[in-house]
Amino acid sequence: MTWLSPPDPITPNPDQIHIWRIWLGQQSPLTYQSCLSAEEHTRANRFKFDRDRTRFIQSRGSLRHILSRYLGCSAAEVTFTYGEYGKPQVSNDPTLTFNLSHSEDLALCAVGYHQRLGIDLEHLRSLTHFESLSRRCLCDSELQALSTLAAPEAQQQFLQYWTCKEAYLKALGCGLTQSLQSVEVQLTPVAKLLSPAHSWQLKILDPAPGFVAAVVSAKKVQITQYEWGGGEVGRWGGGPLSKQF
């Protein structure tokens, strides 16, 4: 699948999920500050490091601009409520659902309509305490699959398992309050959730070199991938497609 320039206008469809790829760092955080709420400014100021504060502002501001295209309002007019475990929902139109994940300088946003969904993104990296971490997070069948791989491939596959499990838990709205071992994933020959038993759709994404990602939805849907090009009104596309880390 390729990353497309989105149409304008764009409309939600109950049989589709739109995945938006957002490269953080393209614009100054000043581009987005005016559309953030007072609560979001407070959250941004809690970050100790400028890099983390900037990434939060850019990802949250991009999210607001993306959602505003579906809602037909300005980015500043998008309002949120929060579930029991902190998952945000759109107040303007509760039938519009979304989920955001970011890692390093990349973020992914999934947007759907009348459906539960979750997305997770991880930057590939060397993991400390890998064996104990795997035993805490993976089921027996997943550990067996990892045991056949060399160390670098095993760590990459672990992170792919992680994205699948966390995307599912985010779709439920509970996040990591529930054990990752409660979710069993099969990656080959076809990626799917083995448990809990339900008609959830699991899709592995290829976000960019050096990253793994997955999206989960409560029903079978078509997935379309869009490139977010910036916070300016009316600007689409133009993301650094070849950027690597």
Side-chain angles (χ1 to χ4, degrees), residues 14-62:
D15 297 319
Q16 291 184 348
I17 287 177
H18 297 159
I19 310 294
W20 294 81
R21 182 168 69 170
I22 306 162
W23 289 102
L24 306 177
Q26 286 189 83
Q27 291 85 31
S28 164
L30 294 175
T31 304
Y32 300 104
Q33 284 184 340
S34 63
C35 73
L36 298 186
S37 67
E39 183 267 343
E40 288 167 329
H41 280 291
T42 299
R43 289 175 61 187
N45 290 332
R46 290 187 185 132
F47 287 98
K48 179 178 180 181
F49 299 106
D50 289 342
R51 180 189 64 180
D52 297 329
R53 184 181 308 109
T54 296
R55 285 172 176 167
F56 173 82
I57 292 170
Q58 291 170 331
S59 62
R60 194 73 176 193
S62 297

Side-chain angles (χ1 to χ4, degrees), residues 112-138:
Y113 187 62
H114 281 299
Q115 59 187 289
R116 290 187 291 174
L117 54 82
I119 194 166
D120 193 55
L121 167 74
E122 292 291 336
H123 179 239
L124 295 177
R125 59 197 182 276
S126 178
L127 300 170
T128 57
H129 309 294
F130 173 61
E131 291 187 6
S132 61
L133 184 63
S134 299
R135 289 194 297 270
R136 289 200 306 271
C137 299
L138 301 185

